[in-house]
Structures are given as C-alpha cells and as structure tokens.
C-alpha cells in the first residue's frame, strides 16, 4: 500500500497542483490584532487550512488551501471508532527582515511517515507535507503573533474518513494542516516547571504505539495529566511499563538530565517514547559544544538520589510546544525533591538560547535546519 501510495501521489497531487481558495470573509484586522497580542497556546486559529484527500486506488488528490471550517464526517468514519489518527507539531517564525521560516519540516515529514506506517495509514510524501505547510503559512502569514516569544504553531494531521465499522485499515483518509498563533506552552512567569511521577499509569508499552505521534497516546495521558494538576504539578512524567522504574518522557515532551561533571543524559529510543526533533537537535547542539550526551536508561530512584546528592544539577523538558523548559521540582506519592536551585540551570539556558537563536534566524544554521518560506 505504501509504495503504491507514494508513486500515485506524485501523479495525482503534485506540489504544483495545490488549488488556493482564499476566503472571502477573513477576520477583520482589528479583531485579529487583538487575538495576536495574547494568543495563549492552541486557542486561536488562522483563516485557512490545507487539505489533501487520499483514496485507495487513486492515491493523494484534491490538494487545496481553503477557508478553515468545520468538516463534514459520516458518523461511521473509522477514526471516530478505532482512532486511526496521527499528527505532527512544528513551528514557523518570522525573522526581523519579515521572512517566514520553519524549523526542520523534513524531520516532521519523515516522522509523520513513520507514524503512518505504525497506524496502517498511507504515507504522505515528504515534499507534499512540506509544500502543504509552505503554501498555508504563506497565505496566513499575517497571523504571526505579536506577543513576545510568539510563533506560528503548525498542526498537520491525518485520519481515517472512510465510513466502515469493520476493523481494518481504512481506504479513505483526510490530511489537513491548521495553524495556531501561540505564546508559551506553560504559564509565563514561573522559572521552572514541576513534574508529577505517574505511578498508576504508563504511556506506552513495548510493541505499542509509543513512538508514533497518534492521538490515542494523548487520550490515555489525560487522566495522569489531570492527576498531576491535582497534585499542583505542571506536567506528568511516565515510567516504563515493564518495570515501572525507568524514566520515559513527559505527556508532550522529552526529558534531559544534566550532571555536575557537565554531561547530559536522556532516555534511549527503545520504541516506547517519541523520537523528538527538539531532543535530537539538543543532542546535536550539545555535542557540537563538546559536551557528552548519553542515551541511556535512568531510574526514578537514581534521579532522587542524584538530585539529593548534588550530582544532578539540572533537568529540562523539551519539545516543539515547550521549547526547552527547566524542571525545578519532582513530586510523587513517596514525596518530592528539588533539582538544583529549583530554577533554570546554566547548561539548560545556554542550550535553549542556542536552539532558539537558530530557529529565529539570529544565529548561523550550520546543520541546515531552517527552511525559508519565501
Ligand atoms: N514526546 C511527546 C509525547 C510529544 O508529544 C512531543 C511533542 O511533539 C515530544 C516528545 C517532543 O517532540 P518534538 O521535539 O518533535 O516536538
Ligand atoms: C508538540 O510539542 O508539538 C506537541 O505535540 C505536544 C503537545 C503537548 C502540544
């Protein structure tokens, strides 16, 4: 299915064939400006969306940029029953000279293909993924937020739209991209976030879908996230399903530990955690600085012991939405411990600055990560 889908795509929906239908009634400039001054995260959406259809036997077709509007779905659409859905998250930035750029869209496109394979869905060619975003961001570029540190969050997603209740891969899919002008993911003003260790729930098990970016993984994280909130924490960290011992990742971010010898450690990609693009970028930047980064398992007991002995000096979460966010406090039913001074550490801050400067075109881009839209 996959090979055939890719070949057909090139014929049926080539990047050049995006039809652009600008809406006749875009939001009034004054209303838009008000929203863009304080968008929060994921609450504000732009005027347009990208859409491509997939039909078995025909491949990808009907690529368009069109008004963002509610979708018509048959109540038997397979996604509503068996959750055959995947998504991505990346950001676009506006440079000082007004040009729009995005960060590593090719890496998101490839991860979208990996997620599609795991969920038995057709793979969208990398070029079509990138082009759909390029065209949409170009049309909605006036929606870049004015809030300090803001960005345009890009949400590509795909789901099974075929009306069929049998359990098998669907034969029809919709791929869409929506844009959300955003500020920070966490509430502003706090120097570091607090993390709740989920004891009763795990996020993913060996052989499951932990490495895929599918909606189902997030549905099952909602109860543990609510539990974290109940305990006064900002996020949840999951332990492995087999031993309930090893750190995996947060609800929507990867995790890094920083030690007093200047080395870093992050859990390895064993198939149960999301291969974060920020994670990979941070490892590359740290290694380019001469820092040692280990991809090795790290236990909760060790985390507590190292934080208490001072061997562990910093910890941070990273992801597209969260960028790089210091972790100041870790809480569990067994009690809590503080990391370092409870605020942003020096290595965390310096790696974050390096990443953000590349993303926003303020530093050279030696790795070719920045894609210019103009
Ligand atoms: N882990 C999970 C579960 C996520 O949802 C995300 C966010 O996309 C990440 C890690 C970080 O991935 P990335 O850096 O590619 O955004
Ligand atoms: C992202 O960082 O893009 C995510 O998908 C995570 C989610 C918490 C918004």
């Amino acid at each position: 299915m996959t090979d055939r889908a890719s070949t057909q795509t090139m014929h049926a929906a080539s990047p050049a064939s995006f039809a652009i239908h600008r809406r006749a009634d875009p939001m009034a400039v004054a209303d838009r400006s008000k929203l863009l001054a304080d968008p929060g995260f994921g609450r504000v959406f732009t005027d347009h969306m990208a859409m491509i259809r997939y039909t078995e036997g025909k491949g990808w077709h009907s690529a368009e940029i069109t008004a963002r509007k509610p979708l018509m779905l048959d109540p038997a659409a397979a996604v509503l029953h068996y959750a055959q859905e995947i998504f991505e998250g990346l950001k676009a930035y506006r440079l000082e000279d007004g040009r729009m750029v995005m960060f590593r869209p090719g890496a998101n496109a490839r991860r979208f293909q990996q997620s599609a394979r795991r969920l038995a869905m057709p793979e969208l060619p990398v070029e079509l993924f990138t082009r759909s975003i390029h065209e949409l961001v170009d049309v909605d570029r006036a929606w870049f937020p004015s809030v300090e540190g803001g960005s345009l969050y890009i949400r590509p997603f795909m789901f099974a739209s075929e009306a069929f209740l049998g359990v098998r891969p669907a034969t029809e899919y919709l791929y869409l991209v929506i844009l959300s002008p955003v500020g920070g993911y966490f509430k502003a003003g706090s120097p570091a976030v607090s993390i709740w260790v989920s004891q009763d729930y795990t996020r993913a098990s060996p052989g499951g879908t932990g490495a895929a970016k599918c909606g189902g993984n997030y549905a099952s994280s909602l109860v543990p996230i609510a539990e974290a909130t109940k305990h006064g924490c900002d996020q949840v960290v999951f332990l492995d399903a087999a031993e309930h011992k090893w750190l995996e990742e947060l609800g929507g971010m990867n995790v890094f530990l920083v030690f007093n010898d200047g080395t870093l450690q992050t859990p390895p990609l064993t198939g149960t955690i999301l291969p974060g693009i920020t994670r990979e970028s941070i490892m590359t930047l740290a290694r380019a600085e001469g820092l040692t980064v280990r991809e090795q398992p790290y236990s909760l007991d060790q985390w507590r012991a190292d934080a208490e002995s001072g061997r562990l000096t910093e910890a941070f979460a990273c992801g597209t939405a969260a960028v790089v966010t210091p972790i100041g406090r870790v809480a569990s039913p067994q009690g809590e411990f503080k990391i370092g001074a409870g605020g942003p550490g020096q290595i965390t801050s310096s790696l974050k600055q390096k990443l953000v400067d590349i993303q926003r075109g303020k530093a050279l881009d030696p790795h070719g990560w920045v894609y210019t839209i103009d």
Side-chain angles (χ1 to χ4, degrees), residues 62-76:
S62 313
E64 61 175 334
I65 305 296
T66 187
R68 196 183 74 86
K69 56 181 177 297
L71 301 171
M72 287 276 278
L73 268 193
D74 192 290

mmCIF file of all heavy atoms in Angstrom, residues 62-76:
data_model
loop_
_atom_site.group_PDB
_atom_site.id
_atom_site.type_symbol
_atom_site.label_atom_id
_atom_site.label_comp_id
_atom_site.label_asym_id
_atom_site.label_seq_id
_atom_site.Cartn_x
_atom_site.Cartn_y
_atom_site.Cartn_z
ATOM 1 N N SER A 62 -6.780 16.130 -4.840
ATOM 2 C CA SER A 62 -7.590 17.276 -4.409
ATOM 3 C C SER A 62 -6.868 18.137 -3.363
ATOM 4 O O SER A 62 -7.453 18.499 -2.333
ATOM 5 C CB SER A 62 -8.949 16.818 -3.854
ATOM 6 O OG SER A 62 -9.556 15.882 -4.718
ATOM 7 N N ALA A 63 -5.593 18.449 -3.618
ATOM 8 C CA ALA A 63 -4.825 19.269 -2.672
ATOM 9 C C ALA A 63 -5.283 20.718 -2.760
ATOM 10 O O ALA A 63 -5.343 21.281 -3.850
ATOM 11 C CB ALA A 63 -3.332 19.169 -3.003
ATOM 12 N N GLU A 64 -5.611 21.304 -1.606
ATOM 13 C CA GLU A 64 -6.055 22.704 -1.641
ATOM 14 C C GLU A 64 -5.746 23.434 -0.347
ATOM 15 O O GLU A 64 -5.567 22.834 0.706
ATOM 16 C CB GLU A 64 -7.561 22.783 -1.924
ATOM 17 C CG GLU A 64 -8.408 22.098 -0.882
ATOM 18 C CD GLU A 64 -9.915 22.279 -1.109
ATOM 19 O OE1 GLU A 64 -10.324 23.267 -1.732
ATOM 20 O OE2 GLU A 64 -10.671 21.421 -0.618
ATOM 21 N N ILE A 65 -5.659 24.744 -0.479
ATOM 22 C CA ILE A 65 -5.642 25.643 0.681
ATOM 23 C C ILE A 65 -7.008 26.299 0.627
ATOM 24 O O ILE A 65 -7.398 26.854 -0.404
ATOM 25 C CB ILE A 65 -4.548 26.731 0.545
ATOM 26 C CG1 ILE A 65 -3.159 26.117 0.294
ATOM 27 C CG2 ILE A 65 -4.545 27.654 1.769
ATOM 28 C CD1 ILE A 65 -2.607 25.280 1.402
ATOM 29 N N THR A 66 -7.740 26.220 1.725
ATOM 30 C CA THR A 66 -9.122 26.680 1.696
ATOM 31 C C THR A 66 -9.495 27.331 3.036
ATOM 32 O O THR A 66 -8.693 27.315 3.976
ATOM 33 C CB THR A 66 -10.051 25.484 1.341
ATOM 34 O OG1 THR A 66 -11.357 25.959 1.150
ATOM 35 C CG2 THR A 66 -10.048 24.410 2.407
ATOM 36 N N ALA A 67 -10.692 27.889 3.129
ATOM 37 C CA ALA A 67 -11.134 28.505 4.381
ATOM 38 C C ALA A 67 -11.146 27.453 5.490
ATOM 39 O O ALA A 67 -11.597 26.323 5.263
ATOM 40 C CB ALA A 67 -12.540 29.072 4.196
ATOM 41 N N ARG A 68 -10.687 27.812 6.689
ATOM 42 C CA ARG A 68 -10.769 26.868 7.812
ATOM 43 C C ARG A 68 -12.230 26.811 8.245
ATOM 44 O O ARG A 68 -12.857 27.837 8.517
ATOM 45 C CB ARG A 68 -9.907 27.353 8.984
ATOM 46 C CG ARG A 68 -9.629 26.266 10.018
ATOM 47 C CD ARG A 68 -8.843 26.812 11.169
ATOM 48 N NE ARG A 68 -9.677 27.630 12.008
ATOM 49 C CZ ARG A 68 -10.442 27.147 13.010
ATOM 50 N NH1 ARG A 68 -10.437 25.864 13.295
ATOM 51 N NH2 ARG A 68 -11.184 27.953 13.714
ATOM 52 N N LYS A 69 -12.775 25.611 8.217
ATOM 53 C CA LYS A 69 -14.200 25.478 8.537
ATOM 54 C C LYS A 69 -14.464 24.084 9.097
ATOM 55 O O LYS A 69 -13.620 23.184 8.940
ATOM 56 C CB LYS A 69 -15.044 25.711 7.273
ATOM 57 C CG LYS A 69 -14.692 24.804 6.101
ATOM 58 C CD LYS A 69 -15.552 25.115 4.895
ATOM 59 C CE LYS A 69 -15.197 24.301 3.664
ATOM 60 N NZ LYS A 69 -13.854 24.505 3.113
ATOM 61 N N PRO A 70 -15.620 23.888 9.733
ATOM 62 C CA PRO A 70 -15.926 22.549 10.259
ATOM 63 C C PRO A 70 -15.955 21.521 9.131
ATOM 64 O O PRO A 70 -16.319 21.831 7.994
ATOM 65 C CB PRO A 70 -17.316 22.726 10.876
ATOM 66 C CG PRO A 70 -17.420 24.183 11.171
ATOM 67 C CD PRO A 70 -16.646 24.873 10.086
ATOM 68 N N LEU A 71 -15.608 20.266 9.484
ATOM 69 C CA LEU A 71 -15.575 19.203 8.486
ATOM 70 C C LEU A 71 -16.897 18.440 8.510
ATOM 71 O O LEU A 71 -17.517 18.293 9.567
ATOM 72 C CB LEU A 71 -14.445 18.217 8.824
ATOM 73 C CG LEU A 71 -13.043 18.803 8.898
ATOM 74 C CD1 LEU A 71 -12.079 17.760 9.466
ATOM 75 C CD2 LEU A 71 -12.588 19.251 7.515
ATOM 76 N N MET A 72 -17.269 17.925 7.370
ATOM 77 C CA MET A 72 -18.432 17.032 7.301
ATOM 78 C C MET A 72 -17.898 15.610 7.401
ATOM 79 O O MET A 72 -17.073 15.216 6.592
ATOM 80 C CB MET A 72 -19.121 17.178 5.939
ATOM 81 C CG MET A 72 -19.896 18.463 5.780
ATOM 82 S SD MET A 72 -21.527 18.283 6.480
ATOM 83 C CE MET A 72 -22.346 17.472 5.127
ATOM 84 N N LEU A 73 -18.352 14.868 8.386
ATOM 85 C CA LEU A 73 -17.876 13.493 8.557
ATOM 86 C C LEU A 73 -19.056 12.556 8.715
ATOM 87 O O LEU A 73 -20.014 12.873 9.423
ATOM 88 C CB LEU A 73 -17.059 13.374 9.839
ATOM 89 C CG LEU A 73 -15.566 13.557 9.812
ATOM 90 C CD1 LEU A 73 -14.987 13.082 11.130
ATOM 91 C CD2 LEU A 73 -14.931 12.767 8.666
ATOM 92 N N ASP A 74 -18.984 11.413 8.086
ATOM 93 C CA ASP A 74 -20.008 10.398 8.293
ATOM 94 C C ASP A 74 -19.870 9.874 9.738
ATOM 95 O O ASP A 74 -18.747 9.671 10.206
ATOM 96 C CB ASP A 74 -19.794 9.255 7.294
ATOM 97 C CG ASP A 74 -20.978 8.325 7.276
ATOM 98 O OD1 ASP A 74 -21.182 7.590 8.279
ATOM 99 O OD2 ASP A 74 -21.710 8.327 6.272
ATOM 100 N N PRO A 75 -20.952 9.672 10.462
ATOM 101 C CA PRO A 75 -20.824 9.159 11.839
ATOM 102 C C PRO A 75 -20.127 7.805 11.909
ATOM 103 O O PRO A 75 -19.652 7.409 12.981
ATOM 104 C CB PRO A 75 -22.274 9.036 12.319
ATOM 105 C CG PRO A 75 -23.110 9.760 11.344
ATOM 106 C CD PRO A 75 -22.351 9.939 10.078
ATOM 107 N N ALA A 76 -20.056 7.094 10.784
ATOM 108 C CA ALA A 76 -19.345 5.805 10.787
ATOM 109 C C ALA A 76 -17.872 5.977 10.403
ATOM 110 O O ALA A 76 -17.154 4.976 10.267
ATOM 111 C CB ALA A 76 -20.034 4.840 9.820
#
